[in-house]
Amino acid sequence: MIRYFDPAERIREKQRARDRDDHDLASGRVSAGELQRQNSFAAGLDLVNAEIHVPNPSAW
């Protein structure tokens, strides 16, 4: 099945996530710091086991 990007649906998804974050913060389910960690760019990355490989350092 091919799915297409729907900008309007993406806006709705982001708003639902913001509403959920607001509710979780207001209810004390998460702290502001925890919410920030969850929503950070690198939240889904396993940085502990990450490696950086440079294929050709002399090209820099």
Side-chain angles (χ1 to χ4, degrees):
M1 178 171 131
I2 297 174
R3 298 188 68 192
Y4 295 95
F5 179 73
D6 180 354
E9 178 58 27
R10 181 62 181 143
I11 290 169
R12 290 188 293 270
E13 289 172 356
K14 290 176 71 80
Q15 188 58 55
R16 285 191 297 268
R18 287 185 193 102
D19 293 344
R20 188 172 43 252
D21 289 348
D22 288 345
H23 178 267
D24 290 347
L25 188 58
S27 69
R29 185 173 179 188
V30 295
S31 68
E34 179 60 24
L35 190 57
Q36 185 174 16
R37 282 188 292 281
Q38 289 175 7
N39 290 335
S40 75
F41 172 75
L45 300 177
D46 181 8
L47 298 177
V48 172
N49 294 311
E51 295 180 14
I52 298 175
H53 296 267
V54 179
N56 185 2
S58 62
W60 294 69

